[in-house]
């Protein structure tokens, strides 16, 4: 029990260290800890400050070519999570994420197609691993886009169809 109580404080130290090192996701996670009061005193102001810092870092990483940062920034801006809601900017960032991820999709499509011709389980396993490395983020990106593009009333059905399509 005493050890379990110290886990949020330990996580917060890691989040703070990574946030100070420029990791936008760590800043966002630390901000969430502040709003939940997990291992820290609840502070709306600190949560907002950390969410704004997360947005700044994610946008900077997006400019440098990190598609995951573009997607995270687009989601944060799209719902107004600690920053002003801006659907137009969110759409631009999602478009940038798609453009950056397109190379992964093209490279990942080749091993996926070659799996049909795999002569043995070893080559099939290698091709599956390569496909996973290249296409692993596609589902995350699809859900993120769906959350932004589909109205809240129809989102459950849309995500259900999306989940069915990847099975």
């Amino acid at each position: 029990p005493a050890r379990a109580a110290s886990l949020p404080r330990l996580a917060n130290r890691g989040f703070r260290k990574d946030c100070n090192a420029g990791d936008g996701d760590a800043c966002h996670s630390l901000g969430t800890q502040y709003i939940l009061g997990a291992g820290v005193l609840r502070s709306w102001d600190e949560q907002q400050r950390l969410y704004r810092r997360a947005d700044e870092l994610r946008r900077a990483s997006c400019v440098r070519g990190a598609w995951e940062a573009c997607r995270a920034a687009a989601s944060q801006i799209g719902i107004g999570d600690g920053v002003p809601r801006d659907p137009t900017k969110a759409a631009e960032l999602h478009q940038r994420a798609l453009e950056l991820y397109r190379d992964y999709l093209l490279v990942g499509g080749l091993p996926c197609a070659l799996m049909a011709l795999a002569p043995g389980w070893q080559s099939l396993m290698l091709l599956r691993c390569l496909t996973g490395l290249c296409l692993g983020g596609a589902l995350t990106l699809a859900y993120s886009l769906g959350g932004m593009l589909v109205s809240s009333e129809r989102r459950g059905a849309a995500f259900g169809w999306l989940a069915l399509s990847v099975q």
Side-chain angles (χ1 to χ4, degrees), residues 20-84:
N20 290 337
D23 182 343
D25 291 337
C27 293
H28 194 274
S29 295
L30 184 58
T32 301
Q33 298 295 81
Y34 271 95
I35 203 65
L36 296 174
V40 292
L41 292 176
R42 287 182 182 207
S43 172
W44 176 260
D45 292 337
E46 186 64 8
Q47 182 251 0
Q48 291 295 300
R49 185 189 72 75
L50 287 163
Y51 277 16
R52 284 191 301 274
R53 176 75 175 138
D55 178 56
E56 292 168 10
L57 291 170
R58 287 170 169 171
R59 287 194 204 201
S61 293
C62 180
V63 168
R64 289 192 303 271
W67 74 267
E68 303 95 334
C70 297
R71 184 208 49 81
S75 295
Q76 186 176 357
I77 293 166
I79 62 173
D81 190 13
V83 295

Side-chain angles (χ1 to χ4, degrees), residues 108-118 127 131:
L110 181 63
C112 186
L114 290 175
M115 284 190 291
L117 306 173
L127 291 168
T131 301

Side-chain angles (χ1 to χ4, degrees), residues 111-112 114-115 118 122-132:
C112 186
L114 290 175
M115 284 190 291
Q122 296 94 341
S123 56
L124 180 64
M125 182 66 71
L126 176 64
L127 291 168
R128 288 290 293 162
C129 289
L130 289 173
T131 301

